[in-house]
Amino acid sequence: MNDTEPLLATLLEERKARRGLPPYLPQEDRAVAALLQSWYDEREPGANVRDVARMGGGASREQFIFTLERDGTERRYILRMDPTEGITETSRAREYEILRAFEGTLPVPAAVWLDIDADHFPCPAMIVEVVAGVTKPTSDQLSVTGLGTILGDPLRDIIRPQFLGHLATIHNFDWSTADLPSFTAPTDDPKQPTRWLIQFWKELLEQDAVTKEPVLRLATQWLEDNVPDCEKISVVHGDYRTGNYLFEEADGRITAILDWEMCYLGDLHADLAWAIQPVFGSHIDGVFRGSDLAPPAQFLAEYEAASGNRVDPAKLHYFTMFNAWKSYILVAALGVRAARQAHNHQDVLLTFLAATGPLFVDELARLLMMEESQ
């Protein structure tokens, strides 16, 4: 694989090798409970696993919540396991490492165990502590988390400065001194971070595309021809938006930043453009708010003030195009393929999300027409 981060190139090859596998059978609670108990028997003799239950949601990982009793105390944990295929192609090792790196710096779930080679569990897995909080107001029972979530007033004004402050911390984090062995820094030239990114997602599109969309071909070519320089290599969360953090509904305090599985080292503009994507925002009384937090101009100005990082409009535009392209690949290529091959436990949800594919095609067409008109 040319011009791709080494670990991601390995993931792509492993994905190809799994194509011929039989349908994925979701794990049963009883079997998971036995696996967890034997895991702890080996590592923490005397600990007792109970109350194992499947968690809803999760279009990429299969998740189970459980209670662990040890030394007279009880703690709640979540087991995250990889199905055969999902809506993303990611590494549990990287997710584990980045959570450990930010522990004590950001509100993140504590990552406590990792089985990256599936030596014990049937597939790569990690265990994290449960954090209290909700991903959306309890009054919002209709939207898929993060898609059209309405925080409303005064909650959005309480959450916004925390959300932007945490993003500033992520982007200004000194990754070079952290223990991140699964990450490779793209430092050969200023375009390498984004070239690695484009090559990875392009290969996923070529592997998993179920339809041929001419707009996607045009967008791919535009992205390859217009790669911007990355002056500052930052930790990029990869899916930073409303729906991917927990908060206390009573006071609006963010208790955990979630879903780090698409994290990488690259251009911070990718996170900014992702958080203000139309699909993750709200349109109320003619006002669009990115992640239902603020109109884009206010959102970006407050980010600059919180982080000290300047937002480059040209790069923001580039990653707006990239994120629409990436989103299509997620929902209309990887997700559809995984559901069609019965390689995932959430085939109904993946099929539902595929319906958003035309939204991203339309957005790409609009952005490409803007380029043609200039």
Side-chain angles (χ1 to χ4, degrees), residues 247-270:
F247 64 92
E248 292 284 6
E249 197 164 8
D251 60 11
R253 180 177 61 89
I254 291 179
T255 57
I257 307 298
L258 306 175
D259 288 355
W260 292 80
E261 58 193 350
M262 288 196 286
C263 183
Y264 63 95
L265 301 177
D267 194 313
L268 57 84
H269 291 82

Side-chain angles (χ1 to χ4, degrees), residues 3-20:
D3 221 14
T4 304
E5 185 178 355
L7 177 65
L8 298 186
T10 299
L11 292 180
L12 290 170
E13 292 306 308
E14 291 174 348
R15 186 180 182 83
K16 290 179 184 178
R18 295 195 299 270
R19 279 304 159 80

Side-chain angles (χ1 to χ4, degrees), residues 104-231:
T105 301
L106 283 175
V108 294
V112 293
W113 293 107
L114 177 67
D115 182 20
I116 188 58
D117 295 319
D119 294 326
H120 184 88
F121 294 98
C123 44
M126 65 180 291
I127 296 173
V128 299
E129 277 196 295
V130 170
V131 180
V134 297
T135 57
K136 61 182 179 180
T138 52
S139 59
D140 182 1
Q141 298 297 321
L142 298 177
S143 66
V144 175
T145 300
L147 302 182
T149 296
I150 305 298
L151 298 169
D153 293 322
L155 199 53
R156 64 168 63 98
D157 290 331
I158 298 170
I159 288 177
R160 186 177 65 253
Q162 301 173 74
F163 180 91
L164 294 171
H166 294 327
L167 185 57
T169 298
I170 294 169
H171 291 167
N172 291 334
F173 180 72
D174 185 3
W175 51 266
S176 66
T177 61
D179 184 19
L180 300 172
S182 295
F183 292 76
T184 303
T187 55
D188 283 356
D189 69 68
K191 295 187 186 299
Q192 188 180 53
T194 303
R195 283 205 315 267
W196 275 6
L197 194 62
I198 296 301
Q199 184 61 39
F200 175 68
W201 287 98
K202 178 183 176 182
E203 176 65 18
L204 285 172
L205 176 62
E206 292 176 354
Q207 284 189 22
D208 283 24
V210 294
T211 61
K212 300 296 182 182
E213 292 283 355
V215 171
L216 268 292
R217 185 180 296 273
L218 288 172
T220 302
Q221 188 63 56
W222 186 90
L223 289 167
E224 290 179 321
D225 290 345
N226 293 275
V227 174
D229 288 350
C230 178
E231 287 84 11

Side-chain angles (χ1 to χ4, degrees), residues 79-127:
L79 171 68
R80 287 169 57 80
M81 295 192 295
D82 293 349
T84 304
E85 295 182 62
I87 201 170
T88 59
E89 188 62 44
T90 58
S91 163
R92 272 341 88 237
R94 284 174 67 141
E95 185 179 12
Y96 181 86
E97 289 166 13
I98 202 69
L99 286 173
R100 301 277 288 194
F102 277 113
E103 191 171 349
T105 301
L106 283 175
V108 294
V112 293
W113 293 107
L114 177 67
D115 182 20
I116 188 58
D117 295 319
D119 294 326
H120 184 88
F121 294 98
C123 44
M126 65 180 291
I127 296 173

Side-chain angles (χ1 to χ4, degrees), residues 39-67:
W39 172 271
Y40 281 101
D41 285 344
E42 294 175 10
R43 291 157 182 81
E44 297 187 38
N48 180 53
V49 173
R50 62 176 178 81
D51 302 333
V52 176
R54 176 181 293 276
M55 295 182 68
S60 54
R61 308 278 80 81
E62 195 170 10
Q63 301 188 113
F64 294 84
I65 190 167
F66 64 97
T67 298

